[in-house]
């Protein structure tokens, strides 16, 4: 059975309406995995970007609950610094390529100048089909060395969310 963007949206919305996050996060990860296993889903929703085009595309934004399904397609190396997602959670699904992801441990939480100090906690490689949930306040940094396609579910559109001021020590 093919799995479409509409199917994914309906499954995620069911979970968000019936359970509070992070309780329902495993179920959301399951459905993101299901989408990543469907090659038609990937080719339809995560196509190559044209030169100069934004790597990020909002595929769906839910007007009622605020969650978003986004496609991120990077054609070159992309290095992210440690960040959280403000008041939102996020699910990262690796559709193709690899991401070297580092999770960071919070050492001092907004004690000085509203800065959160962090140190590296663990690094792991996300390969095609891997899915990871990042709860509110979790700090991570992605390193993408090759062209990658990602499916990202956001509790709220991260374009509109203020991130914390984070500094590595
Ligand atoms: Fe992130």
């Amino acid at each position: 059975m093919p799995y479409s963007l509409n199917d994914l949206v309906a499954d995620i919305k069911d979970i968000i309406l019936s359970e509070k996050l992070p309780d329902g996060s495993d179920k959301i990860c399951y459905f993101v995995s299901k989408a990543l296993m469907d090659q038609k889903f990937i080719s339809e929703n995560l196509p190559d970007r044209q030169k100069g085009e934004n790597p990020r595309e909002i595929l769906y934004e839910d007007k009622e609950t605020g969650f978003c399904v986004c496609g991120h397609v990077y054609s070159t190396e992309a290095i992210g610094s440690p960040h959280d997602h403000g008041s939102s959670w996020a699910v990262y699904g690796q559709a193709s390529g690899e991401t070297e992801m580092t999770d960071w441990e919070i050492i001092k939480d907004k004690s000085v100048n509203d800065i959160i100090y962090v140190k590296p906690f663990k690094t792991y490689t996300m390969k095609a089909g891997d899915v990871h949930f990042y709860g509110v306040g979790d700090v991570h940094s992605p390193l993408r060395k090759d062209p990658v396609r990602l499916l990202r579910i956001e509790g709220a559109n991260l374009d509109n969310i203020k991130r914390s001021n984070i500094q590595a020590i």
Side-chain angles (χ1 to χ4, degrees):
M1 271 286 280
Y3 193 62
S4 70
L5 179 61
N6 281 345
D7 294 330
L8 178 64
V9 163
D11 286 332
I12 292 172
K13 190 159 180 173
D14 271 354
I15 296 162
I16 288 176
L17 289 176
S18 60
E19 307 184 41
K20 286 228 182 311
L21 272 290
D23 293 349
S25 61
D26 284 352
K27 289 181 190 164
I28 293 178
C29 288
Y30 166 79
F31 288 114
V32 172
S33 302
K34 193 171 171 179
L36 296 178
M37 281 188 277
D38 190 310
Q39 286 308 312
K40 190 161 176 273
F41 184 103
I42 292 173
S43 58
E44 281 181 3
N45 295 296
L46 303 171
D48 287 339
R49 304 295 191 245
Q50 301 304 311
K51 209 172 177 213
E53 202 178 5
N54 195 340
R56 168 178 171 82
E57 182 185 6
I58 297 172
L59 300 166
Y60 174 82
E61 182 165 4
D62 192 71
K63 296 283 172 276
E64 187 185 355
T65 67
F67 82 87
C68 287
V69 177
C70 302
H72 289 198
V73 178
Y74 298 92
S75 55
T76 54
E77 181 179 72
I79 300 172
S81 50
H83 64 276
D84 64 11
H85 302 121
S87 54
S88 177
W89 52 266
V91 169
Y92 281 56
Q94 187 86 28
S96 69
E98 290 189 357
T99 298
E100 186 184 298
M101 194 72 88
T102 299
D103 291 348
W104 297 71
E105 184 184 350
I106 293 172
I107 304 301
K108 270 194 260 174
D109 197 353
K110 293 190 179 175
S111 52
V112 183
N113 299 331
D114 215 28
I115 297 171
I116 296 174
Y117 290 93
V118 295
K119 70 172 187 184
F121 174 61
K122 67 172 177 181
T123 296
Y124 47 95
T125 302
M126 290 186 68
K127 299 184 174 169
D130 289 349
V131 179
H132 206 292
F133 171 76
Y134 298 93
V136 174
D138 287 351
V139 178
H140 74 147
S141 60
L143 170 59
R144 301 164 185 127
K145 290 175 183 164
D146 291 302
V148 290
R149 290 171 216 279
L150 308 170
L151 188 59
R152 188 163 86 175
I153 318 302
E154 302 167 352
N157 185 343
L158 292 181
D159 289 339
N160 309 323
I161 297 281
K162 187 178 180 299
R163 315 299 184 95
S164 302
N165 190 359
I166 289 176
Q167 198 166 311
I169 54 174

